[in-house]
PDB file of all heavy atoms in Angstrom:
ATOM      1  N   LEU G  41      -4.017   1.388  -3.279  1.00 94.00           N
ATOM      2  CA  LEU G  41      -3.861   0.037  -2.807  1.00 94.00           C
ATOM      3  C   LEU G  41      -3.388  -0.839  -3.960  1.00 94.00           C
ATOM      4  O   LEU G  41      -3.902  -0.676  -5.105  1.00 94.00           O
ATOM      5  CB  LEU G  41      -5.270  -0.404  -2.317  1.00 94.00           C
ATOM      6  CG  LEU G  41      -5.840   0.394  -1.144  1.00 94.00           C
ATOM      7  CD1 LEU G  41      -7.171  -0.320  -0.747  1.00 94.00           C
ATOM      8  CD2 LEU G  41      -4.869   0.423   0.087  1.00 94.00           C
ATOM      9  N   PRO G  60     -13.311   3.390  -0.787  1.00 96.00           N
ATOM     10  CA  PRO G  60     -12.737   3.215  -2.095  1.00 96.00           C
ATOM     11  C   PRO G  60     -13.293   4.336  -3.095  1.00 96.00           C
ATOM     12  O   PRO G  60     -14.401   4.539  -3.065  1.00 96.00           O
ATOM     13  CB  PRO G  60     -13.131   1.847  -2.450  1.00 96.00           C
ATOM     14  CG  PRO G  60     -13.446   1.133  -1.227  1.00 96.00           C
ATOM     15  CD  PRO G  60     -14.022   2.177  -0.260  1.00 96.00           C
ATOM     16  N   LEU G  61     -12.441   4.729  -3.913  1.00 94.00           N
ATOM     17  CA  LEU G  61     -12.762   5.595  -5.125  1.00 94.00           C
ATOM     18  C   LEU G  61     -12.947   4.658  -6.325  1.00 94.00           C
ATOM     19  O   LEU G  61     -13.793   4.873  -7.164  1.00 94.00           O
ATOM     20  CB  LEU G  61     -11.732   6.614  -5.252  1.00 94.00           C
ATOM     21  CG  LEU G  61     -11.441   7.495  -4.189  1.00 94.00           C
ATOM     22  CD1 LEU G  61     -10.408   8.572  -4.509  1.00 94.00           C
ATOM     23  CD2 LEU G  61     -12.761   8.255  -3.727  1.00 94.00           C
ATOM     24  N   ILE G  90     -16.927  -0.806   9.052  1.00 95.00           N
ATOM     25  CA  ILE G  90     -18.212  -0.692   9.709  1.00 95.00           C
ATOM     26  C   ILE G  90     -18.211  -1.067  11.198  1.00 95.00           C
ATOM     27  O   ILE G  90     -18.910  -0.463  12.030  1.00 95.00           O
ATOM     28  CB  ILE G  90     -19.293  -1.574   8.915  1.00 95.00           C
ATOM     29  CG1 ILE G  90     -19.670  -0.924   7.669  1.00 95.00           C
ATOM     30  CG2 ILE G  90     -20.480  -1.865   9.824  1.00 95.00           C
ATOM     31  CD1 ILE G  90     -20.460   0.445   7.884  1.00 95.00           C
ATOM     32  N   ARG G 125     -19.991  14.186  15.557  1.00 93.00           N
ATOM     33  CA  ARG G 125     -20.330  15.491  15.284  1.00 93.00           C
ATOM     34  C   ARG G 125     -21.084  15.757  13.918  1.00 93.00           C
ATOM     35  O   ARG G 125     -21.640  16.814  13.706  1.00 93.00           O
ATOM     36  CB  ARG G 125     -19.137  16.440  15.320  1.00 93.00           C
ATOM     37  CG  ARG G 125     -18.175  16.355  14.152  1.00 93.00           C
ATOM     38  CD  ARG G 125     -17.051  17.371  14.149  1.00 93.00           C
ATOM     39  NE  ARG G 125     -16.162  17.048  15.402  1.00 93.00           N
ATOM     40  CZ  ARG G 125     -15.059  16.405  15.311  1.00 93.00           C
ATOM     41  NH1 ARG G 125     -14.655  15.747  14.164  1.00 93.00           N
ATOM     42  NH2 ARG G 125     -14.288  16.262  16.394  1.00 93.00           N
TER      43      ARG G 125
END
Side-chain angles (χ1 to χ4, degrees):
L41 299 184
L61 302 179
I90 285 298
R125 72 175 65 92

